[in-house]
Amino acid sequence: MVRTRFAPSPTGYMQIGNLRTAVYEYLFARRHGGVFILRIEDTDQNRHVEGSLEVILDTLKIMGLDYDEGPGIGGGYGPYVQSERKADYLPHAKKLIENGNAYYCFCTEERLDSLADAHGVTKYDRHCLNISKDEALKQAESGVPYVIRQMIPEGRSEFNDEVFGKILIENNELEDQILIKSDGMPTYNFANVIDDHAMMITHVVRGSEYITSTPKYNLLYKAFGWDCPVYIHLPLLLNEKGEKISKRKGDPSVNDLLHMGYLPSAILNYCVFLGWSPDGNQEIFSLDELTRVFDVRHISKSPAKFDAVKMAWMNGEHIKRLPPEIFYEMALPTLQEAVKTPGIDLKHLAAMVSSRINFISDCHELLNFIDELPDYDVGLFTHKKMKTDSAVALAALKIIFAELNNTANWTNENLYAIATGAAAANGMSNSQILWPLRTAASGKQSSPCGASELCELLGKNESLRRICIAIDKLQSGGAC
């Protein structure tokens, strides 16, 4: 059975790269009827940020990425937590010492700092490898501070990655990494291997920056006599400047995107497309739809670049997919802020705008003409495609004012019929009546609906008042 795990560190907000990894692991497990687990890798206590665990749990819940098992924090159902498994790691490290694949290291920080090259890069020189096992054990048991290091053998390491294919790395490029720190806690690299084996993880999904570390993991698996998992390394994520995505560089976290107005479904959808593409041209998917089509063979090797414009468009497409009652419930607070005019049907307004916005906050800009007609230039009445100019607009508005002034049936359908009837009766096209009417009603280049709908929305008195204002503008101060 396929078993994957999402293993974040509680060091801050959830980043886009973290979420992408989680989504891919989730989709791969679900596609194959497998298990998706959550493991909190908190062995580096110095980097722990208060509240980060809650952010991780909340984000997964918001995104709909439910995990399948785990003992929980302090008992109960929940994620696995490495710090609660501290007792499991040291015995494994000591087994590696016994079989010659690890050793005690007593070097001080001062000595290690002295090994740094001109660029400040330190590679351990195996100074403590020369200490006999008996002497090393004696020093360790006497209380001399130590770490346990992996002993990298000579030769080369080769493994296959589902995305990047065959990878070959010379072992002399690898450092004898620390497995157990001086405080007794395991390093990320060691705990990662021990836990993946203990939790029977079959497929490891992670960023391509871990490719060069993978031989170290595989050497540990082999030293224990365990099978290695299948590796799926993901392409690098770049921001719009072409740099690796990082919160320190001002790139938004998942929490930031939620506060900016992105829907969880849109964030998740966009994350999946950062390095993956489906068969065909479909780009808008729900989580269930992605589960049915996700295939790791479609993951790209090339870096994926974050595109804010594309993501905003995708958010708009997800807004269009919302059921009308759900969109209305979500948009209501914003609509109430944007429109203060009494009597406006906000539910009808929601239906108008849902297909014309990328963010719910766009309602403010789209609807700012309702409470107060904006000051506008008569140049808006000129439209080559509609075959209107100031003269045509003035004539059209005088005609439609007279027609609308005499009607009591103020509905969209009737207003549209009156406008098109007036156009036919006066030798005009529909657009030559409707474009000036829409412009007069909204005072904007674009509006959330057509002319007759705008008039229905505004009501008879306000619509006629605005037509009068337009006529007044077009004839430079004359009365309508």
Side-chain angles (χ1 to χ4, degrees):
M1 175 183 285
V2 167
R3 290 177 62 89
T4 66
R5 84 309 192 258
F6 178 48
S9 298
T11 56
Y13 287 112
M14 180 91 82
Q15 305 303 314
I16 290 294
N18 300 134
L19 180 60
R20 182 185 68 168
T21 300
V23 174
Y24 282 18
E25 289 169 326
Y26 175 91
L27 293 176
F28 185 76
R30 293 290 180 263
R31 175 77 188 275
H32 295 280
V35 172
F36 170 69
I37 70 174
L38 174 63
R39 186 173 74 222
I40 304 301
E41 300 199 333
D42 62 343
T43 57
D44 191 346
Q45 295 291 302
N46 292 327
R47 297 181 62 221
H48 182 87
V49 175
E50 194 67 32
S52 294
L53 176 56
E54 289 72 21
V55 169
I56 292 168
L57 298 177
D58 288 347
T59 302
L60 293 180
K61 183 177 181 180
I62 289 169
M63 295 297 159
L65 303 180
D66 53 305
Y67 48 91
D68 295 311
E69 65 182 47
I73 303 170
Y77 186 75
Y80 293 101
V81 180
Q82 281 186 336
S83 61
E84 295 184 353
R85 298 165 53 80
K86 179 180 177 181
D88 295 348
Y89 306 113
L90 185 57
H92 281 93
K94 288 184 175 180
K95 284 182 182 179
L96 292 178
I97 292 175
E98 291 171 9
N99 63 28
N101 289 290
Y103 58 95
Y104 290 103
C105 174
F106 304 95
C107 292
T108 63
E109 288 188 20
E110 290 76 17
R111 182 179 185 281
L112 294 176
D113 290 342
S114 71
L115 300 177
D117 61 18
H119 302 288
V121 178
T122 301
K123 184 175 182 181
Y124 186 59
D125 61 359
R126 292 187 160 180
H127 174 74
C128 291
L129 183 59
N130 299 317
I131 303 174
S132 69
K133 286 185 181 180
D134 290 341
E135 176 59 26
L137 181 59
K138 183 179 179 181
Q139 289 190 47
E141 291 180 343
S142 68
V144 178
Y146 68 87
V147 299
I148 296 178
R149 289 184 181 271
Q150 179 181 6
M151 202 285 286
I152 303 293
E154 295 181 355
R156 56 175 53 181
S157 294
E158 182 179 302
F159 68 95
N160 186 70
D161 180 76
E162 293 296 291
V163 176
F164 291 88
K166 185 179 291 185
I167 307 291
L168 181 64
I169 294 177
E170 298 292 337
N171 287 355
N172 60 16
E173 297 178 14
L174 308 175
E175 183 180 14
D176 287 2
Q177 65 176 344
I178 294 174
L179 305 179
I180 300 292
K181 296 178 286 188
S182 58
D183 62 0
M185 290 292 283
T187 58
Y188 160 82
N189 290 320
F190 187 53
N192 186 280
V193 169
I194 302 303
D195 285 345
D196 280 350
H197 173 73
M199 297 171 190
M200 298 179 288
I201 301 304
T202 61
H203 294 74
V204 171
V205 183
R206 59 187 175 211
S208 57
E209 63 267 27
Y210 290 102
I211 285 179
T212 56
S213 298
T214 301
K216 297 180 182 180
Y217 305 140
N218 286 346
L219 287 169
L220 289 172
Y221 280 107
K222 292 173 183 176
F224 286 117
W226 300 338
D227 291 332
C228 298
V230 175
Y231 294 105
I232 304 170
H233 285 95
L234 309 181
L236 193 65
L237 280 185
L238 305 178
N239 60 23
E240 292 180 293
K241 298 177 183 177
E243 304 168 333
K244 184 179 177 181
I245 279 186
S246 169
K247 179 68 174 176
R248 291 188 296 273
K249 295 176 182 175
D251 298 315
S253 67
V254 176
N255 200 48
D256 291 333
L257 293 172
L258 289 169
H259 280 100
M260 290 162 65
Y262 286 95
L263 300 183
S265 61
I267 297 173
L268 188 145
N269 191 166
Y270 188 71
C271 273
V272 173
F273 272 74
L274 287 171
W276 175 87
S277 58
D279 285 322
N281 298 319
Q282 182 178 343
E283 293 185 278
I284 307 304
F285 291 88
S286 67
L287 182 58
D288 286 342
E289 290 169 331
L290 286 168
T291 301
R292 292 193 291 270
V293 302
F294 185 76
D295 189 333
V296 296
R297 291 176 297 179
H298 290 216
I299 297 175
S300 173
K301 298 178 185 179
S302 302
K305 193 171 184 179
F306 187 88
D307 184 340
V309 174
K310 179 68 175 287
M311 190 176 185
W313 167 81
M314 190 170 280
N315 198 60
E317 294 302 303
H318 277 267
I319 286 176
K320 290 177 186 176
R321 277 189 164 205
L322 290 173
E325 63 276 9
I326 298 298
F327 175 76
Y328 174 67
E329 183 180 339
M330 292 175 62
L332 183 57
T334 302
L335 293 174
Q336 290 172 330
E337 290 175 3
V339 179
K340 304 293 186 183
T341 300
I344 296 293
D345 184 346
L346 295 183
K347 187 166 286 189
H348 182 55
L349 205 58
M352 283 184 183
V353 302
S354 63
S355 64
R356 296 172 178 265
I357 58 176
N358 288 335
F359 300 93
I360 289 177
S361 60
D362 291 345
C363 291
H364 286 283
E365 174 65 24
L366 196 60
L367 302 175
N368 61 5
F369 69 93
I370 294 178
D371 287 345
E372 184 177 353
L373 181 68
D375 187 23
Y376 63 92
D377 189 273
V378 292
L380 288 182
F381 289 102
T382 299
H383 196 297
K384 289 184 179 180
K385 186 177 180 180
M386 304 295 182
K387 296 181 179 180
T388 67
D389 55 22
S390 295
V392 172
L394 179 59
L397 289 174
K398 286 183 175 181
I399 292 168
I400 197 64
F401 179 86
E403 295 284 346
L404 296 182
N405 193 37
N406 294 322
T407 184
N409 183 11
W410 202 262
T411 63
N412 173 40
E413 293 78 8
N414 189 53
L415 296 175
Y416 183 79
I418 290 172
T420 54
N426 289 275
M428 292 177 156
S429 66
N430 288 344
S431 60
Q432 286 178 316
I433 288 283
L434 293 172
W435 177 262
L437 179 57
R438 191 207 62 77
T439 303
S442 67
K444 294 168 69 73
Q445 185 73 39
S446 60
S447 60
C449 56
S452 55
E453 288 180 279
L454 284 178
C455 289
E456 180 188 44
L457 181 70
L458 294 169
K460 182 173 182 178
N461 291 338
E462 180 62 15
S463 296
L464 293 176
R465 185 183 78 84
R466 292 188 180 196
I467 295 171
C468 268
I469 290 172
I471 292 172
D472 206 35
K473 280 178 174 285
L474 287 165
Q475 61 188 13
S476 302
C480 69

